[in-house]
């Protein structure tokens, strides 16, 4: 009887929410929109280079977070799609530039040769610049008219900040400065990842909310959700670098240890790091409780982050 | 008597318009605004690298064009200043990335060591990315509320397009492809310069007009003015590369000839190129005649472009 009671109390959404199918469907929507965003015209080489990295089959976690938040807050996929494409372009641009010989000097990404290995360093730098320009153009041009124009400008501010010296770029600079040093403090490590990883994830989530007209209080709630999954995401990334093979990751594995890089597992150990990531995801999900069943996708994505293996 | 008549017929604006003083004043306004736009906070290195190139004493032709057009069309300096700063940031970012070893491999710019010679290639790439992010953030955040929000979004679209594959980036890719080739057609040469030089100059002028609420017809007029001065600007650049010293240019001189690069003077000769540039400036100025005396600054700037020596 008790068991039956429990089953009946479970809301149908929870019983039937299928994250795998949800992610697959959203990934397809994003892939199609990204594909449509970049034609191949003269000079073909730059459009091909931009498409090569952008359409290399990423998981589309960032754009999906943006769409899911917009929907949770009462908006539509159409309202958020230009911004969703923009965050994936910004993310891809940061990967292309990070992989350059002058930076992390990586040959593989998402199981394929990195952009500069295929198109040369010069074109890779320009492909990143081109993706960045297109990201902002897309949000300004394609965000539908039922999104308040002031809110669209706020999204552009968020994206610019997440990308610039107060975000990705600032995090990468500190990361480069720490290279080869084994005495990095937890504070510095947190700075790097808050800027390199969390800032853009936060912009994805918060922008999705802003587009749907979220209140200041809701934006704060979304920010806390994003901060927590951002750190969890990075901890899992560090763990995977240790425990996975190149085939599983689609990029060079074991790089952190080889470079004697300070990471969360190197500070806390693997098991403690896993527990910490799980705890962060729990806190993130709790932030969304006021949104009830509508928060299911974002909560499921948070759990997915700690269970992923690539 | 005739001479006296002529003097009296000259409108006072024309008699007293002092371009040197005008440019000096505007340059100071731009320098101050650019200085204020980038603080030096942690991580200092990236902000210093961004400031190093941005505040290296450029002529500020692009932001001044933006401000001058906005004023000519009835707007104010305050309305256009965030966009004026943004175009200078985009221009500076393109110089930093173009100077990299993987691209033009230049050691000097504006009389100083290039960004990567001072801060390293990694930081130089990131400083460019950071300037780009800040450019868009600035327009979206700081354009005053008396500028229609829809028009502010249109400016962002113009900037994105001028910078991306349909602008600067596309022009640079074709320029790189033409390196070392001596059989470049005039059509290809025009494509390169329309994208590398004119696209951003056009965005400066047209954005200034859009901010002030220019009509579609006026925007077309401004576009034609900008296209003509853009090409004239590039022809003069090619001429100066031949006729100037490194000290005069503040960057390496004679590069085009050394690289056997196809340029306008190499196709037409020096004298014919000079005449062509003067003709383009004349056409550009004629486009602005309907605006009467308000067009004086933009017309004077057009003439300044063909008479400059660095």
């Amino acid at each position: 009887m008790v068991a039956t009671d429990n089953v009946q109390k479970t809301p149908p959404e929870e019983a039937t929410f299928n994250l795998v199918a949800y992610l697959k469907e959203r990934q397809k929507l994003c892939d199609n929109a990204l594909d449509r965003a970049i034609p191949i015209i003269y000079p073909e080489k730059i459009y091909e280079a931009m498409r090569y990295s952008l359409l290399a089959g990423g998981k589309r976690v960032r754009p999906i977070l943006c769409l899911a938040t917009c929907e949770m807050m009462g908006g539509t996929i159409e309202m958020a799609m230009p911004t969703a494409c923009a965050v994936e372009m910004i993310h891809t641009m940061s990967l292309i530039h990070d992989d350059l010989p002058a930076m992390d000097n990586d040959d593989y990404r998402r199981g394929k040769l990195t952009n500069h290995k295929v198109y040369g360093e010069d074109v890779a730098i320009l492909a990143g610049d081109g993706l960045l320009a297109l990201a902002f153009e897309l949000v300004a041009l394609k965000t539908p008219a039922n999104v308040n124009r002031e809110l669209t400008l706020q999204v552009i501010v968020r994206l610019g900040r997440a990308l610039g010296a107060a975000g990705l770029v600032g995090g990468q600079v500190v990361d480069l400065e720490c290279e080869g040093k084994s005495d990095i403090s937890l504070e510095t490590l947190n700075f790097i990842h808050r800027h390199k990883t969390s800032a853009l994830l936060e912009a994805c989530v918060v922008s999705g909310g802003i587009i749907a007209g979220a209140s200041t209080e809701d934006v704060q709630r979304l920010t806390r959700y994003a901060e927590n999954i951002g750190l969890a995401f990075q901890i899992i990334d560090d763990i995977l670098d240790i425990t996975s093979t190149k085939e599983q990751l689609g990029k060079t594995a074991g790089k952190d240890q080889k470079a004697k890089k300070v990471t969360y597992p190197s500070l806390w150990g693997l098991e403690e790091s896993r527990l910490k990531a799980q705890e962060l995801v729990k806190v993130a999900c709790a932030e969304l409780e006021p949104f009830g069943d509508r928060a299911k996708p974002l909560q499921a994505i948070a759990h997915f982050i700690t269970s992923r293996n690539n």
Side-chain angles (χ1 to χ4, degrees), chain A residues 38-57:
Chain A
I38 308 183
I40 301 181
I41 53 176
Y42 180 79
E44 288 81 6
K45 198 199 261 180
I46 186 66
Y47 294 98
E48 282 166 4
M50 288 162 70
R51 290 175 61 89
Y52 175 80
S53 293
L54 188 65
L55 305 176

Side-chain angles (χ1 to χ4, degrees), chain A residues 182-198:
Chain A
S182 53
D183 59 343
I184 305 306
S185 67
L186 180 61
E187 197 190 342
T188 303
L189 194 62
N190 281 336
F191 179 94
I192 293 171
H193 296 313
R194 233 181 11 251
H195 291 75
K196 267 192 83 168
T197 309
S198 298

Side-chain angles (χ1 to χ4, degrees), chain A residues 217-256:
Chain A
E217 199 199 321
D218 286 341
V219 165
Q220 284 166 353
R221 213 166 257 291
L222 294 172
T223 303
R224 289 192 297 268
Y225 164 83
E227 282 170 354
N228 283 293
I229 66 163
L231 186 51
F233 193 93
Q234 186 58 50
I235 294 172
I236 298 298
D237 236 36
D238 287 355
I239 292 174
L240 289 173
D241 183 75
I242 297 170
T243 60
S244 299
T245 63
K246 182 185 148 198
E247 285 64 36
Q248 284 170 311
L249 288 183
K251 62 181 178 184
T252 316
K255 274 183 59 193
D256 297 340

Side-chain angles (χ1 to χ4, degrees), chain A residues 45 48-49 52-53 106-108 112-124:
Chain A
K45 198 199 261 180
E48 282 166 4
Y52 175 80
S53 293
D106 256 310
D107 292 352
Y108 289 95
K112 297 168 69 178
L113 283 171
T114 44
N115 202 290
H116 65 273
K117 292 301 271 183
V118 178
Y119 295 96
E121 280 178 61
D122 48 1
V123 174

